[in-house]
Amino acid sequence: MKKYTEMTKDELMQEKTALEAEYEKIKNLGLSLDMSRGKPGADQLDLSLPMLDVLKSDSDMKSESGLDVRNYACLDGIPEAKALIAGMVGAKPEQAIVYGNSSLNIMYDQVARAFIFGLCGNTPWCKLDKVKFLCPVPGYDRHFAITEEFGVEMINIPMTEDGPDMDMVEKYVNNDASVKGIWCVPKYSNPQGVVYSDETVERFAKLKPAADDFRIFWDNAYTVHHLYDDKQAEIPNILELCEKEGNPDMVFEFCSTSKVTFPGAGVAGICTSEKNREDIKKRLTIQTIGHDKINQLRHARFFKDVDGIKAHMAKHAALIRPKFELVENILTDEIASRGIGTWVKPLGGYFFGFEALSGCAKEIVAKCKEAGVTMTGAGSPFPYKKDPDDSVIRIAPTYPSLDELKKAAEVFVIVTRLVSVNKLLEA
Amino acid sequence: MKKYTEMTKDELMQEKTALEAEYEKIKNLGLSLDMSRGKPGADQLDLSLPMLDVLKSDSDMKSESGLDVRNYACLDGIPEAKALIAGMVGAKPEQAIVYGNSSLNIMYDQVARAFIFGLCGNTPWCKLDKVKFLCPVPGYDRHFAITEEFGVEMINIPMTEDGPDMDMVEKYVNNDASVKGIWCVPKYSNPQGVVYSDETVERFAKLKPAADDFRIFWDNAYTVHHLYDDKQAEIPNILELCEKEGNPDMVFEFCSTSKVTFPGAGVAGICTSEKNREDIKKRLTIQTIGHDKINQLRHARFFKDVDGIKAHMAKHAALIRPKFELVENILTDEIASRGIGTWVKPLGGYFFGFEALSGCAKEIVAKCKEAGVTMTGAGSPFPYKKDPDDSVIRIAPTYPSLDELKKAAEVFVIVTRLVSVNKLLEA
């Protein structure tokens, strides 16, 4: 296939005319398709339905600690839920605090408490002139929304195929005491599916932060979300490494079962050092008496252990792998071949981080919308929703059916070709 | 029975000698009893076990709005859960936002957001020199813990049998713009079981706050927690009254099923004006994607409607009424008859607010502890845990069995008599 970048103006004009006709046709189909959010499909949710039969009216409602999970008590989670959450990320059970359904809410609370009360006795961030967070981009829009809400100055850190640009990270963290955090999705990153390399994780652990209360917000959201049995990424244990490097308190590691069991009705937790856990519990005990221990027990009994989760995730993979491959194949055949888009082939997670030609993302998303296909807003994977290059589009293939996904991807291809041709003709 | 206050010194000395001997005997029994926390007994928790059979693997998992409750979406709760929570407090379903399991957490978040971001566009409280809350006393320790955590200056407002002293409330709220809130448990208050009179509620609605962002934190925790079928307190609808009086945004009303179904695994919500709801949702959407809708649906299907809750609460009442009556009778026979303690007879809720002779509460609680009976810490029902009169002790009769409760109450009686005698001898 001839690359658009190698076409003459005449060839591009011909292509434009043909694509405009196709686009008009598509617009008349009255499609209503959605590749915007990382939601599991209904068939994936069905996989976890048997969990609803695990606790019944005649079930033993005691945790392995002997606690009646139906009553008050137990601020930091029942032991079997700690083992499950910690096991998902390779942490020790005692490092975990298990909450309710939302890891996002845990992250929000960590930022909120740092602002109001300070972390581990440090000055509350609200009392500082300036608080900065490093934001590897493209990244997760809801992370950036939290720091934006608190008025944090967000600094873009480019992603490479090995994770964030660590030269930049080191420069900022080790020299600027107003840099208080960094948002990371270390395995199958949102949206690119990048897996941080061993060296990247090691360099994180070896940081020498200028600020005592600098924290790595290590959102290990896709820790067990592999697409392939034989190509499962593993990353080093950040908590262990940080301890070894004399930075035991530098990491908050987050994890949830939202895309393992039910989004919104899973369990979520944080794994971190003893000092951080004590700091959290001191505040948490004012905030709530405890989280939903019945749901914690339901999860623990359903999975039994981390191997149970892994077996369950293999079933998820079997359902969504064809969707990823369908998108991958269409993009390879129709887009990469024409030199008008790139992406990292994801081996896990929930997304493609598609990179169009510079200056094309907004227009592609708008034209898709016009044709009845909703994509994540252009700019969303960046702080302040500003993609400096206007090129990144997050593609979420899991929620639509294969059939819908095929239609949506075809629309995306036509639109991307058309917008790219127009861009090249402008140049 | 002769009142201690009418005894001669000799009579008191005789009483003291006898009581000290009894106390020594009790201490040797090696008791381990607990009347400290408002926890339902295991038999009460059993009442809600059938709720665990309501949603099974083959259940319809769609809300009445058509939403698949297993997936993401729906920040403010499914319609049937809104109807349930609003119905519990007599609000309109559209006035409700339904959260996860903890109404305490909702209150905490309301205070936290007011501090960080301000309410409805008002100045964030963290930017003010002084923020004050009115605290009807005795009250709920966890309310006071939240405002203490945020450095709020808490002002004691004496409780009467009709609710807080409204003259004082009006004086503070209508004249001091640094007064930003008041903690209220309007029905079967914690710990006294006081029901606010119609006049009290009406005077609340008619407040003319000096501060635009003054809010009544109306924790209707015991709204359906009646002890008697034929003596059920009702209070006026504060949301309606405030609207009528031109104060539509003045109330946050909180409610949960923690002591209806399972503490920790219930659903909780806030009912408030549209303006407040929009203000909340604007912030909440940054904090979480949504709460546990499966548990919301489980509750809604189990109860069907508010009448279902009322029928369920009658079963709770049947289990705990004998416990309240046992304590009531022992206290009447052994304490009131001797003129060494008073309380309001509770018709609902979870507690007795026992008032000992001045200066006796700490000593009574300490001596109970020594004899193996744990009471709520003296001072707990007051801001900063400081009971100016050292006289109030919260008694929580629901958790122990009747048999244990009888033993615990007998210890409490001996100890209270002994401490009172000592106090009178000092005088």
Side-chain angles (χ1 to χ4, degrees):
Chain A
M1 189 100 52
K2 193 161 183 182
K3 290 202 180 339
Y4 280 7
T5 42
E6 292 163 4
M7 282 186 179
T8 63
K9 194 170 173 188
D10 278 356
E11 286 171 322
L12 285 172
M13 283 303 297
Q14 268 187 332
E15 194 75 8
K16 178 182 164 80
T17 311
L19 286 165
E20 278 175 345
E22 280 203 68
Y23 181 62
E24 284 310 308
K25 258 194 267 171
I26 289 168
K27 274 206 293 188
N28 292 328
L29 294 177
L31 297 175
S32 176
L33 302 164
D34 195 329
M35 292 200 293
S36 75
R37 296 301 318 175
K39 290 166 73 167
D43 53 353
Q44 291 177 264
L45 302 175
D46 289 345
L47 294 174
S48 298
L49 281 174
M51 192 175 69
L52 296 177
D53 302 329
V54 165
L55 290 185
K56 289 177 292 197
S57 54
D58 59 354
S59 297
D60 171 21
M61 296 297 284
K62 291 228 159 62
S63 154
E64 61 186 42
S65 66
L67 183 82
D68 186 338
V69 298
R70 303 172 305 173
N71 220 326
Y72 288 114
C74 192
L75 184 65
D76 56 355
I78 60 173
E80 49 269 66
K82 287 187 183 181
L84 204 68
I85 287 291
M88 283 176 73
V89 299
K92 297 174 209 147
E94 65 268 26
Q95 291 177 313
I97 299 177
V98 186
Y99 292 67
N101 68 323
S102 167
S103 59
L104 189 73
N105 206 154
I106 309 177
M107 298 177 219
Y108 178 95
D109 277 357
Q110 287 306 100
V111 173
R113 285 195 210 112
F115 263 85
I116 308 169
F117 305 114
L119 296 176
C120 296
N122 283 282
T123 307
W125 295 353
C126 71
K127 300 248 166 92
L128 303 175
D129 287 339
K130 179 71 89 180
V131 174
K132 298 176 192 161
F133 256 61
L134 306 185
C135 299
V137 290
Y140 179 33
D141 54 353
R142 288 185 184 269
H143 285 163
F144 305 151
I146 290 174
T147 26
E148 184 172 0
E149 177 91 340
F150 282 86
V152 170
E153 182 182 321
M154 294 184 278
I155 297 164
N156 289 359
I157 303 289
M159 283 288 285
T160 73
E161 291 202 10
D162 290 322
D165 177 334
M166 289 308 295
D167 291 341
M168 272 184 79
V169 170
E170 286 164 358
K171 199 191 85 190
Y172 276 110
V173 174
N174 296 353
N175 296 297
D176 184 346
S178 65
V179 172
K180 298 296 188 186
I182 180 168
W183 290 115
C184 294
V185 183
K187 201 197 269 188
Y188 307 134
S189 72
N190 177 350
Q192 293 169 300
V194 163
V195 178
Y196 289 16
S197 70
D198 289 6
E199 195 203 325
T200 296
V201 180
E202 280 154 20
R203 286 176 73 179
F204 266 111
K206 285 181 176 156
L207 287 170
K208 298 286 166 226
D212 269 355
D213 51 355
F214 168 80
R215 293 291 184 274
I216 303 168
F217 285 67
W218 198 254
D219 183 5
N220 213 339
Y222 306 107
T223 174
V224 291
H225 300 62
H226 311 287
L227 280 172
Y228 298 91
D229 283 350
D230 57 342
K231 283 177 273 188
Q232 302 200 342
E234 285 309 326
I235 55 169
N237 183 323
I238 184 83
L239 286 164
E240 247 173 40
L241 284 180
C242 283
E243 210 169 316
K244 202 179 107 192
E245 297 295 340
N247 285 321
D249 307 316
M250 195 169 61
V251 183
F252 297 142
E253 180 159 22
F254 306 95
C255 169
S256 87
T257 70
S258 290
K259 292 187 186 83
V260 176
T261 58
F262 299 120
V267 293
I270 188 173
C271 295
T272 190
S273 71
E274 188 181 357
K275 187 171 159 190
N276 285 332
R277 293 197 305 277
E278 291 310 312
D279 194 47
I280 290 169
K281 285 191 279 184
K282 193 177 73 182
R283 303 295 175 188
L284 190 58
T285 192
I286 304 296
Q287 192 169 355
T288 183
I289 304 177
H291 299 95
D292 185 342
K293 299 181 297 296
I294 291 184
N295 205 33
Q296 290 179 10
L297 187 65
R298 184 181 284 120
H299 276 74
R301 294 250 176 100
F302 180 55
F303 288 122
K304 294 187 179 66
D305 54 30
V306 178
D307 286 339
I309 292 191
K310 287 181 180 161
H312 189 75
M313 293 313 291
K315 296 181 201 166
H316 276 279
L319 293 172
I320 64 175
R321 198 165 47 232
K323 297 182 178 180
F324 275 85
E325 288 177 346
L326 180 137
V327 170
E328 173 85 29
N329 291 338
I330 292 180
L331 292 183
T332 303
D333 293 349
E334 303 289 336
I335 301 286
S337 60
R338 290 183 169 93
I340 51 173
T342 59
W343 63 94
V344 179
K345 178 184 161 64
L347 299 177
Y350 258 65
F351 305 103
F352 288 83
F354 178 79
E355 201 164 337
L357 297 183
S358 277
C360 289
K362 268 192 205 152
E363 183 68 13
I364 291 172
V365 170
K367 277 200 147 53
C368 280
K369 184 85 203 164
E370 228 182 308
V373 174
T374 305
M375 308 294 301
T376 311
S380 283
F382 291 81
Y384 315 107
K385 297 193 187 301
K386 280 183 197 152
D387 176 355
D389 203 35
D390 186 25
S391 65
V392 175
I393 298 170
R394 188 178 81 165
I395 300 177
T398 55
Y399 188 66
S401 68
L402 258 180
D403 194 47
E404 291 170 328
L405 187 66
K406 185 159 182 285
K407 281 188 202 141
E410 284 166 355
V411 171
F412 180 77
V413 160
I414 297 298
V415 167
T416 301
R417 288 172 59 193
L418 176 57
V419 172
S420 303
V421 162
N422 284 337
K423 179 57 66 180
L424 290 167
L425 282 168
E426 272 174 28
Chain B
M1 191 102 46
K2 192 161 184 184
K3 290 201 182 338
Y4 280 7
T5 42
E6 294 163 3
M7 282 189 180
T8 63
K9 194 169 174 190
D10 278 354
E11 285 171 322
L12 286 172
M13 282 302 295
Q14 268 187 330
E15 194 76 5
K16 177 182 165 82
T17 310
L19 286 165
E20 277 174 346
E22 281 204 68
Y23 182 61
E24 284 309 309
K25 259 193 267 173
I26 289 168
K27 274 206 293 188
N28 293 328
L29 295 177
L31 297 175
S32 176
L33 301 165
D34 195 329
M35 291 201 294
S36 74
R37 297 301 315 177
K39 290 167 75 167
D43 52 352
Q44 291 178 264
L45 302 175
D46 289 346
L47 295 173
S48 298
L49 281 174
M51 192 175 68
L52 297 177
D53 301 330
V54 164
L55 290 185
K56 288 178 292 196
S57 55
D58 59 354
S59 297
D60 170 21
M61 296 297 284
K62 291 229 160 62
S63 153
E64 60 186 43
S65 66
L67 184 81
D68 186 339
V69 299
R70 303 172 306 172
N71 220 327
Y72 288 115
C74 192
L75 184 65
D76 57 355
I78 60 174
E80 48 268 68
K82 286 188 185 181
L84 204 68
I85 287 291
M88 283 175 74
V89 299
K92 297 175 209 147
E94 65 268 26
Q95 290 178 313
I97 299 178
V98 186
Y99 291 69
N101 68 321
S102 167
S103 60
L104 190 73
N105 206 154
I106 309 177
M107 298 176 218
Y108 178 95
D109 276 357
Q110 288 305 101
V111 173
R113 286 196 209 110
F115 263 85
I116 309 169
F117 305 114
L119 296 176
C120 297
N122 284 281
T123 307
W125 295 353
C126 69
K127 300 248 166 91
L128 303 175
D129 287 339
K130 179 71 89 182
V131 174
K132 298 176 192 160
F133 256 62
L134 305 185
C135 299
V137 290
Y140 179 33
D141 54 353
R142 289 185 183 271
H143 286 162
F144 305 152
I146 290 175
T147 25
E148 184 173 1
E149 176 90 339
F150 282 86
V152 170
E153 182 182 323
M154 295 184 277
I155 297 163
N156 290 0
I157 303 289
M159 283 288 285
T160 73
E161 291 203 9
D162 290 323
D165 177 334
M166 289 308 294
D167 291 341
M168 272 185 80
V169 170
E170 286 163 358
K171 198 191 85 189
Y172 276 110
V173 174
N174 297 352
N175 295 297
D176 185 346
S178 67
V179 171
K180 299 296 188 185
I182 181 168
W183 290 115
C184 294
V185 181
K187 201 198 269 188
Y188 307 134
S189 72
N190 177 351
Q192 293 169 301
V194 163
V195 178
Y196 290 16
S197 70
D198 289 6
E199 195 203 328
T200 296
V201 180
E202 280 154 19
R203 286 176 72 178
F204 265 112
K206 285 181 175 155
L207 287 170
K208 299 285 166 225
D212 269 354
D213 51 355
F214 168 81
R215 294 291 183 274
I216 303 168
F217 285 66
W218 197 254
D219 183 4
N220 213 338
Y222 306 107
T223 174
V224 291
H225 300 61
H226 311 286
L227 280 172
Y228 298 91
D229 284 351
D230 56 343
K231 284 176 273 188
Q232 302 201 342
E234 286 309 326
I235 55 170
N237 183 324
I238 183 85
L239 286 163
E240 248 173 38
L241 283 180
C242 282
E243 210 170 315
K244 202 179 108 194
E245 298 294 342
N247 284 321
D249 307 317
M250 195 169 61
V251 182
F252 297 143
E253 179 158 24
F254 306 95
C255 169
S256 87
T257 69
S258 289
K259 292 188 185 83
V260 177
T261 57
F262 300 119
V267 293
I270 188 174
C271 295
T272 191
S273 71
E274 188 181 357
K275 187 171 161 190
N276 285 333
R277 293 197 306 276
E278 291 310 312
D279 194 48
I280 290 168
K281 285 192 278 184
K282 192 177 74 182
R283 303 295 174 186
L284 191 58
T285 192
I286 304 295
Q287 193 169 355
T288 184
I289 304 176
H291 299 95
D292 185 342
K293 300 181 297 295
I294 291 185
N295 205 33
Q296 290 179 10
L297 186 65
R298 185 181 284 121
H299 276 72
R301 294 251 176 98
F302 180 54
F303 287 121
K304 294 186 178 69
D305 53 30
V306 178
D307 286 338
I309 291 190
K310 288 181 180 160
H312 190 74
M313 292 313 292
K315 296 182 202 167
H316 276 279
L319 293 173
I320 64 175
R321 197 166 46 234
K323 297 182 178 179
F324 276 84
E325 288 177 345
L326 180 136
V327 171
E328 174 86 27
N329 290 338
I330 293 180
L331 292 183
T332 303
D333 294 348
E334 304 289 335
I335 301 286
S337 60
R338 291 185 168 93
I340 51 173
T342 58
W343 63 94
V344 180
K345 178 184 162 64
L347 299 177
Y350 259 64
F351 305 103
F352 288 84
F354 178 79
E355 201 163 336
L357 297 183
S358 277
C360 288
K362 268 192 205 152
E363 183 67 13
I364 291 172
V365 170
K367 277 202 147 51
C368 279
K369 183 86 203 165
E370 227 182 307
V373 174
T374 306
M375 308 294 301
T376 311
S380 282
F382 291 80
Y384 315 106
K385 297 194 186 301
K386 280 183 197 152
D387 176 356
D389 203 36
D390 187 25
S391 66
V392 175
I393 298 171
R394 188 179 80 165
I395 300 177
T398 55
Y399 188 65
S401 68
L402 259 180
D403 194 47
E404 291 170 328
L405 186 65
K406 183 157 183 285
K407 281 187 201 140
E410 285 165 356
V411 172
F412 180 77
V413 160
I414 297 298
V415 168
T416 301
R417 288 173 58 193
L418 177 57
V419 172
S420 303
V421 163
N422 284 337
K423 179 58 65 182
L424 290 167
L425 281 168
E426 271 174 30

